[in-house]
Amino acid sequence: MTAGWATAVWLRQRGVTAAHVLGSAGLRDELAAQGVSHRSDVAAEAVVVGYDDSLTYRDLTHACALIRAGSRFVTTDFVTTFPSEEGPPLTAGVIASAISAATGRRPSAIGKPGPDMPHVAQCGLPEGAAVAVVVSASATDTAWAHRAGLPAIVVDPSVSQQPPPPGNGTEMTAPVSPEAVVVGLSGLFDPVVHARPFRPLTYAWPDDVQAAVAAVVCDEAGRVLLVRRVDNGKWGVPSGHVEVGETVAQAVVREVAEETGLQVEVTRQIGVYSDPASQVFTYPDGRVTQFVTTAFACTPTGQQVRPDGVEISQVGFFRPDDLPSRLLRMHPGWLTDASTGRTGTID
């Protein structure tokens, strides 16, 4: 199965019959075989990006115009290089990245690192069939399988025997840790394969990782400062990204002031939180980010609070026993750690 074939099937599953193809003649043939014709005008329901070393700036500009006009943005894969004896050559991901930068749109990646190719490969299998993804000795490939919700079996000719499964089999599957390792393809038929149980990830797969800060601000009455987000209507403590050139302490003071108008000073660090089970956030537009958040206890040095009206719709101080019901899922843990006086928590 090729990424081109999987892309063609993916498009037909979504009713696409005409696409503007930036790629080889082979890719066009694979799409045509599944009933997706090549179109270069506004009738193109999708722009499909594959690898083509003859592309020009004019080609890229036209593709961007179609995407801005409403065409789907699809790429056979979104990785930028792959290993070879001559060094890492460029792939379709480089072309797709250029178009993404120009349009502000992230493509649907059918091949790596997206989950769709393994899903397409299961079409026609009996319901409940046991499925695994056989990958190379690559952490990226293992993560790709787990992103698709499937166990990974690594074929690694460099090992002399199958290593024991990592951990004790009870922990959550790590994104880059396979369920089994075999020496060669024949090892897939070994009646005794050491494998740990597969436990699907409980969070959406992040597109990126960003540094962030959070502030637990308490007034003299012991009430905690909370804000309500505009994008999802949920409550939480003031939080946000660390900007270029800032320390985390500077960032948390700035975020509180921007979101609430309140000036604060940092009194202690509560902890650093990175567990994706709680630190992966899905935005309404579909972007998924894993945050590494440094949380601080802060005290107010001013009196007035007001929502910024852009990111925050409401702001106020609340008693710990009377918090809003719709809290962001990671924030209760931060409030608990702050209230118990914990310092330097690493999670």
Side-chain angles (χ1 to χ4, degrees):
M1 180 182 66
T2 66
W5 178 86
T7 300
V9 173
W10 185 91
L11 289 168
R12 289 300 290 126
Q13 289 175 341
R14 286 152 181 80
V16 175
T17 59
H20 180 62
V21 182
L22 275 68
S24 64
L27 176 59
R28 294 187 186 185
D29 290 343
E30 287 184 297
L31 267 63
Q34 296 296 325
V36 182
S37 63
H38 174 67
R39 294 287 297 262
S40 295
D41 56 16
V42 293
E45 301 161 82
V47 172
V48 178
V49 177
Y51 180 74
D52 186 349
D53 58 9
S54 66
L55 290 177
T56 67
Y57 277 111
R58 185 183 297 274
D59 295 324
L60 296 175
T61 299
H62 181 60
C64 290
L66 290 175
I67 291 170
R68 294 191 189 99
S71 296
R72 289 177 181 265
F73 181 15
V74 181
T75 182
T76 55
D77 63 81
F78 205 41
V79 294
T80 54
T81 63
F82 64 88
S84 77
E85 295 180 356
E86 294 78 23
L90 305 183
T91 70
V94 173
I95 302 169
S97 295
I99 296 173
S100 180
T103 61
R105 294 268 301 277
R106 187 173 179 85
S108 297
I110 309 308
K112 298 175 187 177
D116 290 294
M117 190 169 175
H119 293 164
V120 170
Q122 297 178 68
C123 293
L125 292 179
E127 186 176 351
V131 178
V133 180
V134 180
V135 301
S136 66
S138 162
T140 301
D141 285 353
T142 298
W144 177 52
H146 290 167
R147 180 176 185 179
L150 295 169
I153 301 175
V154 166
V155 177
D156 187 353
S158 68
V159 298
S160 58
Q161 60 181 359
Q162 297 179 34
N168 59 14
T170 62
E171 77 285 353
M172 183 63 67
T173 300
V176 298
S177 182
E179 280 61 50
V181 178
V182 296
V183 177
L185 288 176
S186 61
L188 295 171
F189 304 96
D190 190 328
V192 181
V193 175
H194 299 284
R196 67 173 180 176
F198 174 64
R199 293 177 173 82
L201 302 176
T202 58
Y203 50 87
W205 193 265
D207 297 315
D208 60 0
V209 179
Q210 296 188 20
V213 290
V216 179
V217 183
C218 294
D219 64 9
E220 293 180 352
R223 299 177 303 170
V224 63
L225 179 68
L226 297 179
V227 298
R228 189 174 190 180
R229 295 182 60 92
V230 169
D231 55 9
N232 58 23
K234 294 186 177 181
W235 288 86
V237 301
S239 60
H241 303 79
V242 179
E243 295 185 353
V244 174
E246 283 185 323
T247 67
V248 287
Q250 291 169 337
V252 77
V253 171
R254 173 186 54 76
E255 282 290 345
V256 175
E258 287 180 354
E259 293 185 359
T260 73
L262 188 66
Q263 298 299 315
V264 299
E265 61 180 10
V266 174
T267 56
R268 63 183 170 90
Q269 177 187 322
I270 299 168
V272 179
Y273 304 85
S274 60
D275 186 348
S278 64
Q279 289 299 108
V280 169
F281 185 84
T282 302
Y283 289 92
D285 64 3
R287 290 178 298 122
V288 183
T289 294
Q290 178 182 349
F291 289 103
V292 179
T293 303
T294 305
F296 294 93
C298 303
T299 57
T301 59
Q303 298 294 326
Q304 299 296 321
V305 294
R306 49 99 185 114
D308 67 3
V310 179
E311 295 183 21
I312 306 303
S313 61
Q314 294 177 259
V315 59
F317 283 94
F318 295 81
R319 298 197 317 271
D321 61 353
D322 189 26
L323 300 178
S325 59
R326 296 193 67 202
L327 282 174
L328 289 163
R329 68 168 182 244
M330 62 288 254
H331 292 211
W334 300 344
L335 292 171
T336 297
D337 288 348
S339 66
T340 57
R342 297 184 67 176
T343 299
T345 298
I346 298 176
D347 183 14

